[in-house]
Amino acid sequence: MTDAIDPGEQPPEDATYRIRRDGPGRLAALRRAWHERKWMRRFGYLCMAGFAGIAAFWVFLAHDLPDANKLLEYQPPLPTMVRGMDGEIVYSYARERRVQLRFVDFPRPMVNAFLSAEDRTFWTHGGVDVGGLAGAVVDYVTKYGSGVRAKGGSTITQQVAKNILIGDEYSVTRKLKEMIVARRIEGVLTKQQILELYLNEIPLGRRSFGVQAASRAYFDKDVEDLSLSQSAFLAILPRAPEVYGRKKNEDRAIERRNWVLDQMVRNGWASAQDAAAAKAEPLGLVTQRTSTYEPSNGYFLEEVRRRLIGKYGEKAEDGPNSVYAGGLWVRTSLDPQMQVAVRDALRKGLLLYHGNRGFVRPIAHLSDLENWQSQLVVANKTIDYKDWRVGVILDASGSTGRIGFSDGNVSTLTGISDKAKVGDLVAAQPVGGSTWALRGIPEVSGGMIIEQPGSGRILAMQGGFDSGIDSFNRATQAERQPGSTIKPFVYATALQNGMTPATQVLDGTFCVFQGAGLGNKCFRNFGGAGGSGSHTLRWGLEQSRNLMTVRIANDVGMAKVTRTFHNMGIGDYQKYLSFALGAGETTVGRMINAYAALANNGVQFSGSVIDYVQDRNGKVIWRADKGTCNACNMAQWDGKPMPRIQRVGKQVMDAPTAYQTVHMLEGVVTRGTAERLRDLKLPMFGKTGTTNGPTDVWFMGGNQDYVGGVYIGYDTPRSLGGYAQGGRIAAPIFKDVVLATPGRWSHQPFVAPQGIRMVRIDRVTGKRVMGVEPTDEPKASVIWEAFKPDTEPRQYTAEDEFSRRRDALVASIRSARDVRDANAAAAAGDMGNFAEEQGGVY
């Protein structure tokens, strides 16, 4: 029950009633004042303009700011990781050091060190720390106009906004935008997600982005292995990485590190005892990281890089899967054991040819030695051979002087050659104490490849003495004349056009009429030798007879021969007979792929160094093997044998012809120009090559498992010397690879394709032999020969023996006459060398 109200009393006045009663009067008073007082109107206009300006400025700042939701799908630039055929990581293509970790992978002491140094209220603020911002404003005002950059006062969230979304422009406008975006980020991401982005993306010097990359760069450790002192050091780097990371500023770095440790104690994230122990530790920065990659892979990996760039681009703007930003995972065909064997064998061959020539020429030259160390670092010349190092000759007096290395060390250099000059980048080897001796790197070079015939996978590749000295890959980039290694494809063309391995071809003078006034231009065998009568195709290929080869090419037609070269991928040449002797240019890579097709019964796969490529999420976006397996995804096993992926290759030569060619090339190893490989006691086929000059020496060959190819020559072609031949210099290099990889080369003989008939023949005449079994003797008179159906020769008779002796006598007389005629023509000045004029080879 309420209290009664005395009628004589006035009820208390209601506030709402009073406002309503007095409102019109006050509003009217304001209107009168607005019209009568100018200062009030001016003040009002000023306030409205201020509010409008603030609103407009806010709209100006916020209208084009990036959407914080982009961070949910943010893809940081990541290096491409490369694996070998065994799945082990062998390299990474990176211009920046970046490694992405999850939040749970970051050690708690490291997280707390960064929060103590950069943002101790991170877990509680909403993106902007008001106290820190106020301090930054005061610092900016006091330093305005001085040219000194004020402290940022940015939270970790603001730094994420700056590093990923906005940029690092130094201005008040950028700072305001940063604050707006930071607030948005806090509404999109969790604190853990923000911190994960920050610790993975923060630039920390030494081309490192993120704490894992920096941990490797400064301490050669992973983050989980860092001490408290080392974690505190990394936490000081965001402020000035290029200052604190330098040896000369070590005292400043220690002072700042200790401050971080004190802050950790203050925040309760470290004990005083642990902080004191951490302060007592030196910085312990490493000057050079331990290399985790095998340097012998240099040429192979550079070839992989070139192919990836051609496919996906180099930089982020080239596409989402670029080599240096796409984060690709690449499985290659690199065989580490085979690669080391190829590198060592090629080096051995180059050094053997180089002999005792000593120092010949420098690796490079510095014209100005004022900043020699920096120039040496930028030159980035290294060598991975024994304990040799690359340095620059700083001064010289006679045969002694001083050499400087990229780490700044200077040592005594002995054995300085007259050909060496101050400023030369050279290789040197330690010989005791701080004394080094000048060493000579072979001027001659070359390239080598090992490939699997059944897949086209390149297992090993060496393009010179050392990729750290010269990245030019002579195995894939050097266009050279292949010499006699191209002859098997001339003989294969003959086999495809009616001839057999037992067909007799005249090894005699072969001249081409060049037109009125030019006379005849004649070919010669190796060393200028004339003919020796008629012989089988097999003998001509085994002994690499030029005269037989050009006669065969002429008989079947150079149009057909060059078509074979094209089909095998060797090259596109004009229809000159000299190209049948290897006058055209090609590469080791193209030649080895053609030989691989021979070993694979005419089926060719493109030479590949990459098996497949995955994007950063693991999806396969390219693979070399285009074969399909329709039964591989069955929901349930149907009880049949396991399905196999059928590799898709191109039949570039019919199988019987390819096998016949290989079978003849086995004779090159057994008793021909590559017989030094015979003691390997393996089923091998091969062919040597020596070009005019001789300027290049070659060997191509292998078995059904692996095919290898190598050439040796000067980069600017010149004579290797009269003694240089493919069988003497190139074949032993291949042999060293086989000896260094025992157990890798099968003892199984080559498998003949369907339709081949093995027939016993007389090796000299090519006639069929009955009742005599072939033996394993290299020069046995009776051998097994491969024939296509209905092409076998008839049986050998006494009449054939008489004809053979008669032909040999006639050939001997003809050879003597040829020599006499050639000498007379040379004296008269009307005889030229057609092969040489056309770039011919022997």
Side-chain angles (χ1 to χ4, degrees), residues 484-528:
S484 293
T485 58
I486 208 168
K487 289 179 181 177
F489 303 99
V490 178
Y491 284 73
T493 306
L495 295 174
Q496 287 178 315
N497 287 274
M499 295 188 183
T500 75
T503 298
Q504 293 280 328
V505 177
L506 177 63
D507 178 33
T509 301
F510 190 88
C511 299
V512 179
F513 181 67
Q514 297 293 282
L518 296 177
N520 288 331
K521 305 298 181 182
C522 299
F523 290 90
R524 292 286 182 267
N525 281 318
F526 176 75

Side-chain angles (χ1 to χ4, degrees), residues 481-483 486-487 490 523 549-550 553 558 561-562 565 570 572-585 834-835 838-841:
Q481 291 182 343
I486 208 168
K487 289 179 181 177
V490 178
F523 290 90
T549 303
V550 293
M558 273 304 296
V561 173
T562 55
F565 295 162
I570 297 172
D572 294 317
Y573 307 127
Q574 294 178 303
K575 301 176 184 63
Y576 293 128
L577 284 172
S578 59
F579 289 119
L581 300 178
E585 293 184 337
F834 177 81
Q838 295 295 333
V841 290

